């Protein structure tokens, strides 16, 4: 088979963050896959889940999208820009079947915001920020659905209210099994599995508990359930004869939150912060086929979550196939870097990525930037400043607080214990200049849009549905 006729399964854990072998939580299945594949020791994501998911699917930094400050909230018209070309749209044109199982959280105000209108043949899971693992509710309203789309029949959408009370991982498991068993083995497959685990609310069925004397027992139980699901998913691929041609990409969407349930190990900080604990996440690649993945071990090269966009597109046949099918060229404003040659085959002598423009937040007036071994942090990293509703914050030199600057040698000091800015003023000047240059050509940040009167969910329509929902659309 041609290289691009493969299966790609990308699994994004929720709030798992950075993991380490000597910790109190054990993940033998994930550990085995990582050790037998390629560990991504410097995989970086956004500090929150909406920016991270948007970055994966668009190939852009969150600052390029203007959505870096916060997540998308219910009752607003917040939606991932419908004019952007998403990853599943490209790979579907390249001949792939495309499926999402898990969390969306990229907007739902209009049908055009929904996943089955953004390149996925089918989607199954939830739209909002988080749901209960058994009641499937966000707030007081139900949020569990499935949809599918094809050119002949258009969009179909169904609220899965009969599944209330069933542990959600069992439902995801069943759905993946259906996808794999019904998949045409001659068609390449892209499965996007943004897992609910281990996002709050913290829960697992009793059978997954190994102890009950502290809240970390709940975290271990949740991961036991997640590992059982991953084991089952692998078995489904094996039984269908698809596993040999599959590449697994695993990472977390952001660091773990600051709570008694969670830990980012030795790393400083947590979800919602620019410290390593908020943005450096566990990650690995795995395949049993050396024709797909021959670069094994550990890489310390930078990988940003946006890089999966170009990397997966290259695996799926590249832009030539997409352009041939549509007449459209690759967008020219991508931040993504194609890492396929280096990560899969160690085909380059140097790391493809040497810098990451991690974040610029004009509300908190903070920024984070990596270049070579150095990490520059600008502004008060403990700021709790929040948006004014629907306000626009332009990105310019006033967007960041240049009176507070810290520099870390992130290779020698991964736990960010020693600020070396006074020792390397020339490095500070160089990296600050790069950040200022980024400021000059980024979109303004638009804070949370105002809530829309009559929007969903409501007592009249108690589900997370587009605001123009009617009983006869979709059919």
């Amino acid at each position: 088979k041609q290289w691009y006729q493969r299966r790609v399964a990308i699994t994004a854990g929720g709030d798992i963050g950075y993991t380490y072998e000597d910790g109190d939580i054990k993940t033998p299945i994930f550990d085995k896959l990582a050790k037998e594949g390629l560990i991504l020791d410097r995989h970086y994501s956004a500090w929150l889940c909406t920016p991270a998911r948007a970055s994966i699917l668009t190939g852009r930094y969150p600052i390029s999208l203007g959505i870096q400050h916060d997540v998308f909230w219910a009752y607003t018209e917040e939606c991932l820009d419908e004019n952007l070309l998403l990853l599943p749209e490209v790979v579907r044109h390249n001949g792939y079947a495309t499926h999402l199982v898990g969390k969306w959280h990229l907007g739902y105000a209009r049908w055009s915001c929904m996943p089955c209108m953004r390149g996925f043949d089918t989607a199954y899971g939830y739209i909002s920020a988080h749901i209960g693992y058994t009641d499937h509710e966000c707030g007081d309203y139900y949020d569990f659905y499935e949809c599918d789309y094809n050119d002949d029949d258009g969009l179909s959408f169904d609220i899965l209210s009969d599944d209330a009370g069933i542990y959600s991982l069992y439902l995801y498991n069943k759905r993946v099994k259906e996808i794999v068993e019904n998949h045409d083995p001659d068609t390449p497959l892209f499965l996007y599995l943004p897992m609910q685990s281990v996002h709050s609310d913290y829960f697992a069925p009793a059978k997954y508990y190994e102890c009950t004397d502290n809240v970390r027992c709940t975290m271990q139980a949740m991961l036991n359930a997640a590992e059982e699901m991953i084991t089952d998913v692998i078995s489904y691929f094996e039984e269908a004869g698809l596993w040999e041609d599959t590449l697994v990409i695993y990472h977390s969407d952001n660091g773990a939150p600051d709570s008694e349930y969670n830990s980012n190990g030795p790393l400083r900080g947590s979800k919602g912060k620019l410290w390593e604990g908020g943005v450096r996440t566990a990650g690995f690649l795995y395949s049993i086929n050396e024709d797909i993945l021959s670069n094994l071990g550990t890489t310390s090269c930078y990988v940003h979550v946006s890089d999966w966009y170009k990397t997966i597109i290259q695996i799926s046949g590249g832009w030539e196939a997409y352009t041939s099918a549509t007449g459209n060229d690759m967008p020219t404003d991508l931040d993504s870097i194609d890492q396929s040659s280096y990560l899969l085959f160690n085909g380059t002598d140097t790391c493809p990525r040497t810098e990451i423009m991690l974040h610029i937040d004009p509300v908190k007036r903070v920024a984070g930037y990596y270049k070579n071994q150095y990490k520059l942090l600008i502004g008060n990293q403990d700021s709790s400043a929040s948006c004014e509703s629907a306000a626009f914050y332009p990105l310019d030199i006033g967007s960041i607080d240049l009176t507070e600057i810290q520099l870390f040698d992130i290779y020698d000091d991964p736990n960010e214990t020693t600020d070396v800015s006074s020792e390397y003023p020339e490095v500070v000047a160089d990296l600050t200049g790069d950040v200022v240059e980024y400021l000059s050509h980024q979109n303004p940040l638009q804070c949370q849009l105002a809530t829309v009167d009559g929007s969903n969910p409501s007592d009249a329509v108690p589900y997370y549905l587009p605001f123009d929902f009617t009983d006869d659309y979709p059919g």
Side-chain angles (χ1 to χ4, degrees):
K1 294 183 178 180
Q2 296 295 319
W3 181 47
Y4 58 81
Q5 292 179 322
R6 305 299 191 184
R7 284 93 195 172
V8 179
I10 182 167
T11 299
D15 287 2
I16 290 178
Y18 184 80
T19 55
Y20 56 107
E21 287 187 298
D22 296 331
D24 59 326
I25 300 295
K26 306 303 178 185
T27 53
I29 304 303
F30 286 130
D31 291 351
K32 182 177 186 294
L33 294 173
K35 290 176 180 178
E36 294 179 0
L38 178 66
I39 296 172
L40 308 173
D41 192 46
R42 297 194 180 277
H43 183 277
Y44 286 91
S45 190
W47 64 359
L48 293 169
C49 53
T50 293
R53 295 162 202 279
S55 200
I56 296 169
L57 296 182
T58 67
R60 292 167 173 84
Y61 292 140
I63 62 168
S64 300
L65 301 168
I67 59 173
Q68 66 269 37
H69 175 74
D70 205 350
V71 299
F72 283 173
W73 290 90
Y75 304 106
T76 75
E77 292 191 354
E78 291 173 326
C79 172
L80 187 59
D81 188 343
E82 293 123 303
N83 295 313
L84 296 176
L85 179 65
L86 301 196
L87 172 60
E89 297 178 82
V90 181
V91 299
R92 184 163 68 179
H93 277 292
N94 285 355
Y96 276 59
T98 58
H99 302 279
L100 181 155
V101 179
K103 178 177 179 177
W104 176 239
H105 202 193
L106 290 173
Y108 71 97
R110 298 172 293 279
W111 288 108
S112 55
C113 303
M114 300 288 267
C116 285
M117 302 299 286
R118 304 305 302 269
F120 287 104
D121 296 330
T122 72
Y124 179 99
Y126 60 107
I127 294 295
S128 60
H130 64 90
I131 59 171
Y133 282 84
T134 56
D135 64 16
H136 310 156
E137 292 182 359
C138 179
D140 296 325
Y141 296 105
Y142 194 78
D143 184 14
F144 212 80
Y145 75 100
E146 66 178 346
C147 66
D148 64 74
Y149 178 87
N150 63 68
D151 292 336
D152 293 330
D153 300 322
L155 173 69
S156 66
F157 189 96
D158 189 23
I159 298 294
L160 303 175
S161 54
D162 290 343
D163 290 333
I166 302 174
Y167 183 47
S168 57
L169 267 68
Y170 297 159
L171 296 171
Y172 305 140
N173 191 322
K174 179 183 177 182
R175 177 59 182 149
V176 173
K177 183 178 182 181
E178 292 171 349
I179 289 171
V180 174
E181 289 181 345
N182 293 317
H183 181 70
D184 179 357
D186 292 326
T187 299
L189 169 66
F190 173 62
L191 173 63
Y192 179 40
L193 186 60
M195 297 178 67
Q196 184 175 354
S197 303
V198 292
H199 200 290
S200 62
D201 302 328
Y202 300 110
F203 172 83
K207 73 174 187 176
Y208 296 109
Y209 277 79
E210 300 173 2
C211 60
T212 57
D213 57 343
N214 64 75
V215 296
R216 293 288 280 168
C217 296
T218 298
M219 181 56 59
Q220 181 67 70
M222 294 174 73
L223 283 165
N224 289 345
E227 289 209 316
E228 178 184 82
M229 177 179 165
I230 293 300
T231 300
D232 287 345
V233 168
I234 292 172
S235 71
Y236 303 148
F237 274 76
E238 290 174 335
E239 291 165 6
L242 305 179
W243 189 233
E244 185 177 354
D245 288 329
T246 295
L247 172 68
V248 175
I249 301 170
Y250 174 85
H251 65 86
S252 181
D253 57 350
N254 43 247
D258 180 13
S259 83
E260 58 185 346
Y261 290 91
N262 302 99
S263 172
N264 289 300
L267 298 185
R268 185 175 180 179
S270 58
K271 177 180 179 179
K273 303 292 185 182
L274 297 182
W275 302 113
E276 292 293 274
V279 295
R280 182 179 175 185
T281 74
F284 65 81
L285 304 179
Y286 177 84
S287 178
I288 64 171
N289 190 337
E290 66 177 14
D291 288 338
I292 295 176
L293 178 65
S294 60
N295 185 17
L296 307 180
T298 300
T299 176
S300 294
C301 288
Y302 287 132
V303 178
H304 186 259
V305 69
S306 66
D307 294 341
W308 298 125
Y309 184 88
K310 273 192 175 181
T311 300
I312 292 172
I313 288 172
Q314 181 60 33
I315 292 170
S316 76
W319 287 100
E320 295 80 3
Y322 171 77
T323 300
S324 176
T326 66
N328 298 321
D329 294 326
M330 177 182 71
T332 59
D333 59 346
L334 298 176
D335 300 304
S336 179
I337 291 177
D338 172 18
Q339 300 233 27
S340 59
S341 179
Y342 174 78
L343 290 179
L344 302 185
F345 307 115
N346 198 17
T348 58
D349 294 331
T350 59
C351 296
R353 178 181 282 282
T354 59
E355 66 166 3
I356 299 175
M357 184 61 256
L358 182 68
H359 195 82
I360 302 171
D361 186 339
V363 180
K364 296 185 176 182
R365 301 188 68 213
V366 297
Y369 178 62
Y370 297 86
K371 188 173 185 180
N372 300 321
Q373 77 266 37
Y374 292 107
K375 176 181 181 179
L376 182 74
L377 287 177
I378 298 174
N380 177 9
Q381 300 303 314
D382 295 321
S383 171
S384 59
S386 59
C387 281
E388 297 179 16
S389 180
F392 275 94
Y393 291 77
L395 290 187
D396 54 33
I397 194 64
S399 301
I400 51 178
D401 182 3
L402 291 171
T403 66
E404 294 192 46
I405 288 182
Q406 299 176 80
L407 182 73
F408 299 95
D409 186 330
I410 212 67
Y411 281 25
D412 290 340
D413 181 23
N415 300 333
E416 299 168 296
T417 62
T418 306
D419 176 10
V420 296
S421 58
S422 62
E423 299 176 43
Y424 300 102
E426 71 285 357
V427 176
V428 171
D430 178 36
L431 272 62
T432 302
D434 289 347
V435 173
V436 171
E437 173 60 26
Y438 270 102
L439 282 168
S440 68
H441 56 84
Q442 298 301 321
N443 291 322
L445 167 70
Q446 180 163 15
C447 284
Q448 179 184 338
L449 297 178
T451 56
V452 177
D453 291 339
S455 56
N456 302 322
S458 64
D459 291 343
V461 182
Y463 307 111
Y464 286 78
L465 286 168
F467 303 164
D468 58 352
F469 167 79
T470 60
D471 289 338
D472 58 355
Y473 183 80

